[in-house]
Amino acid sequence: MAAVTATELGTALAAYPPFDALSPAALEAVVSASRVHAYAPGELVLDAFVNPTTEVYIILTGRVDLWNDARADGLPADERLGPGGVFGFSAMLTERSVGPRALASADDTQVAVVPARAVRPVFASQRGARFLAEQFARPQPAAGRTPTYSTVDELVRRTPLMVDAADPVAVVARAMTDQSWPCAVVRTREGVYGLVTDAVLRRRVLAEGLPGTTPVGAVMDPDPPTAVLGESAVEGLILLLDRDADDLLVLDRAGRLHGVVGIRDFAISPTTAGVSLHEQLRRAGTVEELVDRARRSTAVLEDLLARGLTSGRVVAVYASILDTLVRRALALVFAQHPEQSVDAFTWIALGSNGRREALLSSDIDSAVAFDDALPEPEQDAYRAAFAEVDVVLGRAGVRRDEHGVSAADPLFSRTNSQWRQAAGSWLTRPGEANGAMMTSLLVDGRPIHGDPGLPAATAAFGDLRRHPATLRLLLEESLAYRARMRSIRERLTRRPETFEVKTHAVVPLVNIARWSALAVGSPALPTVERLRAVAGSGSAMLPADRADAMVEVFGQLQRLRLRYQLMQRAQGDRPSDLLTLDRLSPIDRSLVAEAVREIAATQRRMTNVAAYVPAEGWSGP
């Protein structure tokens, strides 16, 4: 069998996905790292059940039979691949013994083998993510014999390393190294666990100089992200992205530990294969690299939506991507200012991103709570760095708030004690210093960098029912934006009939949910969670049937906005919330009109209740 030249290998690989989208330079890098093997019929090519492979296999000629179950000895092959077939990527991406077992099944079988270091960037690309999604979404020939990897328990790889809180960190580190674990679960008390990772040990022991005799309970994360058996892989991954964490504890319903799932384990789940962008953002080494990778987020959202993920979950993934983008932008900008510390402040996402509801048209509002120990003369230098972060985000395709709701503005960057004092003032005198507006902004705040316990401004809004005058003024502000379609005068202009879906539908609904949640004392941030909290509270202002209707309307509007903004981006237009009604389908036009009617009806009810029911009775039956 003649040897395959580098030119021939490059030509062959360029014909097969996901290598068909590589640039000439990237393809050359893959070819130079590859080797080609010839196999006789029946010869073993790979057994990834025995040894997790660090390589990917591409069939150039001949055929290879695959078994996807280690227990399938003697059974017919699950799958037969010909030229262009790719296998081994699941085991390579996860470093797990997930198969397959592969045997050559034809004469003249030649297989190219590409090492992980050369092929990982291929699968981290958008084309690679799409390839993975297509592979995992295919019907399995041996149905029922292989896991679907759609729940977190199916992603658990092995029994985790368990240690006691009193164990010295040096002993724990040695055990993690010996057993090749990047983390260890710390037993604290029955049903409660902490987590210690390589990163934590490096930071606390090596960088900070803690002695090796320090109990691991003193350095662990006492509140690691957790999921329950049976929960979806999508929800688990979103939780990891939200927490900027690498490992997820999986518990049973009784709170007993079942296992640990790492960020790379999600690569084999068909429902999460498209979010490899998260890891690319986290590892971006320069601002230019970060900007380039961030601009791929639209394609990721399209992939997720096309694969059947609900619009609400797609929006949640996008919110997590934005969080990762902001965190990495902060790290890269402050790396250029070593005299300033990223530990001196907490970055707070406001507005739609704070509620995890941002879309492609959304502005990114932000605020900062400085540590009280930071001297006031130094704060302006930090604000200048925050302005640089805004520029990076703008280059990455994320809109900056045109009204100046930015951490770079002194109005939105204060010490923690200053925020607490201001919040108390807005609560007692909401008509002064834009108190009502600032309250509405702050109660949507969500810390995404720094000490999550640092911002104390929102604590002052915990029980607005003790301030009926403030509650009434906030209600008036919330109902000021009315849901409506075009007026008769606007229609007489004979211009194309348009509808600003955010201004005239989404904002009024979000205001309803925010005020209602404040009135019943709910700390929820997302609009749907706020409405559900109100639905179960017996609120006279927003009874359960009205709240449930608003939940449905909000979901419909978000689906419509996401779909049309992705279409706008695909056509090269800037995503916006301005809809031209005669371009909508009849179903979508009807949906918009019905949504406006439902929101307007809710606003009328709230206005009537406010007029005839004392404020003390608004949050009760």
Side-chain angles (χ1 to χ4, degrees):
M1 189 178 299
V4 177
T5 67
T7 301
E8 292 171 335
L9 178 57
T11 301
L13 291 181
Y16 305 133
F19 306 95
D20 54 351
L22 294 180
S23 66
L27 182 62
E28 182 181 354
V30 170
V31 169
S32 63
S34 303
R35 62 187 188 278
V36 177
H37 291 294
Y39 297 92
E43 188 175 354
L44 181 68
V45 179
L46 167 69
D47 190 345
F49 291 112
V50 176
N51 295 306
T53 181
T54 57
E55 299 167 318
V56 168
Y57 297 72
I58 307 99
I59 303 171
L60 303 177
T61 60
R63 293 188 304 274
V64 171
D65 288 346
L66 302 181
W67 285 264
N68 297 317
D69 193 327
R71 301 163 295 178
D73 223 7
L75 295 177
D78 293 327
E79 197 171 1
R80 172 166 288 179
L81 300 181
V86 182
F87 58 94
F89 47 83
S90 295
M92 182 275 296
L93 288 170
T94 63
E95 296 181 358
R96 294 173 56 182
S97 303
V98 296
R101 184 168 180 264
L103 269 65
S105 58
D107 293 328
D108 194 28
T109 295
Q110 291 183 308
V111 178
V113 184
V114 189
R117 59 178 171 77
V119 80
R120 272 204 178 98
V122 177
F123 288 102
S125 69
Q126 186 54 46
R127 182 69 179 93
R130 183 176 291 113
F131 172 83
L132 289 175
E134 292 168 352
Q135 294 297 309
F136 290 125
R138 291 183 305 167
Q140 294 294 328
R145 290 221 315 255
T146 57
T148 63
Y149 299 114
S150 60
T151 61
V152 289
D153 34 309
E154 291 181 315
L155 299 175
V156 173
R157 54 191 293 185
R158 57 179 170 140
T159 303
L161 172 62
M162 296 285 294
V163 300
D164 291 321
D167 290 344
V169 292
V171 173
V172 174
R174 190 177 306 115
M176 290 167 58
T177 300
D178 292 344
Q179 299 184 35
S180 300
W181 264 107
C183 64
V185 179
V186 184
R187 286 181 288 254
T188 56
R189 60 182 187 275
E190 187 66 28
V192 180
Y193 306 95
L195 189 70
V196 62
T197 64
D198 280 337
V200 168
L201 293 178
R202 286 195 301 270
R203 184 177 73 252
R204 299 300 306 277
V205 179
L206 297 181
E208 297 180 11
L210 287 177
T213 55
T214 303
V216 73
V219 301
M220 70 178 185
D221 177 358
D223 183 30
T226 61
V228 177
L229 290 177
E231 290 186 354
S232 76
V234 171
E235 298 296 344
L237 182 62
I238 289 173
L239 178 59
L240 278 184
L241 302 187
D242 280 346
R243 295 281 296 272
D244 194 28
D246 291 313
D247 299 285
L248 176 77
L249 302 189
V250 180
L251 310 177
D252 64 16
R253 298 285 174 186
R256 293 183 294 266
L257 183 69
H258 180 75
V260 178
V261 178
I263 192 78
R264 68 169 58 203
D265 295 322
F266 287 92
I268 62 172
S269 172
T271 57
T272 60
V275 294
S276 60
L277 176 64
H278 165 73
E279 278 299 284
Q280 297 178 45
L281 293 175
R282 289 180 68 183
R283 297 176 182 176
T286 65
V287 167
E288 289 69 26
E289 191 176 358
L290 181 69
V291 167
D292 176 66
R293 292 175 176 180
R295 289 187 172 274
R296 304 176 193 173
S297 60
T298 302
V300 170
L301 303 186
E302 290 172 342
D303 268 359
L304 294 173
L305 201 61
R307 295 208 310 273
L309 205 62
T310 65
S311 59
R313 286 179 171 176
V314 172
V315 172
V317 169
Y318 183 54
S320 297
I321 290 173
L322 289 177
D323 288 352
T324 302
L325 172 62
V326 171
R327 293 184 187 115
R328 193 59 188 153
L330 283 167
L332 291 173
V333 167
F334 275 83
Q336 300 171 15
H337 301 281
E339 72 282 2
Q340 297 169 358
S341 171
V342 292
D343 297 325
F345 62 88
T346 295
W347 185 280
I348 307 168
L350 302 177
S352 58
N353 194 35
R355 300 189 304 272
R356 293 189 179 91
E357 295 166 359
L359 293 178
L360 301 180
S361 64
S362 301
D363 297 331
I364 297 300
D365 302 336
S366 63
V368 151
F370 290 119
D371 191 299
D372 285 334
L374 183 69
E376 187 171 347
E378 296 181 21
Q379 294 174 16
D380 282 342
Y382 279 83
R383 293 183 183 110
F386 299 152
E388 293 180 36
V389 173
D390 283 346
V391 171
V392 172
L393 297 178
R395 290 178 55 195
V398 177
R399 296 186 183 187
R400 288 176 289 172
D401 185 78
E402 296 177 356
H403 304 290
V405 183
S406 166
D409 188 327
L411 187 63
F412 295 99
S413 51
R414 316 181 188 204
T415 64
N416 197 40
S417 59
Q418 288 171 339
W419 276 121
R420 186 184 296 109
Q421 181 181 1
S425 173
W426 299 327
L427 187 62
T428 56
R429 297 185 298 277
E432 300 176 12
N434 290 319
M437 182 269 290
M438 294 295 288
T439 297
S440 296
L441 282 171
L442 262 294
V443 296
D444 284 353
R446 178 171 58 89
I448 64 172
H449 164 83
D451 181 0
L454 184 62
T458 56
F461 306 121
D463 193 1
L464 271 173
R465 289 169 291 187
R466 296 175 55 189
H467 302 271
T470 301
L471 198 62
R472 181 176 293 278
L473 181 57
L474 288 175
L475 177 63
E476 293 173 358
E477 292 279 341
S478 297
L479 296 178
Y481 292 92
R482 290 286 174 171
R484 67 179 183 87
M485 300 295 287
R486 279 166 50 108
S487 67
I488 296 297
R489 184 177 64 182
E490 290 171 326
R491 293 176 183 175
L492 291 176
T493 62
R494 297 187 178 182
R495 289 180 294 184
E497 193 168 358
T498 58
F499 179 71
E500 225 296 338
V501 64
K502 179 180 178 181
T503 301
H504 299 309
V506 175
V507 168
L509 199 162
V510 166
N511 288 345
I512 288 171
R514 180 192 299 113
W515 182 90
S516 300
L518 286 172
V520 301
S522 170
L525 288 177
T527 297
V528 168
E529 290 183 20
R530 283 171 165 171
L531 291 169
R532 286 175 176 160
V534 175
S537 70
S539 169
M541 188 69 77
L542 193 67
D545 60 339
R546 279 284 91 203
D548 290 342
M550 292 299 94
V551 168
E552 183 177 353
V553 166
F554 185 75
Q556 292 172 342
L557 291 174
Q558 288 291 82
R559 281 193 293 275
L560 181 75
R561 296 174 70 203
L562 178 62
R563 194 168 78 249
Y564 276 89
Q565 287 181 22
L566 287 172
M567 290 170 54
Q568 290 169 336
R569 179 64 64 85
Q571 294 167 0
D573 298 329
R574 183 180 183 182
S576 76
D577 284 299
L578 187 65
L579 302 177
T580 302
L581 295 182
D582 60 6
R583 295 180 184 175
L584 299 184
S585 68
I587 293 177
D588 286 344
R589 283 200 300 273
S590 174
L591 183 152
V592 168
E594 181 61 26
V596 170
R597 282 194 292 270
E598 288 284 352
I599 298 169
T602 300
Q603 288 181 311
R604 286 194 298 272
R605 175 191 169 85
M606 294 177 72
T607 300
N608 291 334
V609 171
Y612 297 106
V613 177
E616 293 79 4
W618 290 352
S619 57

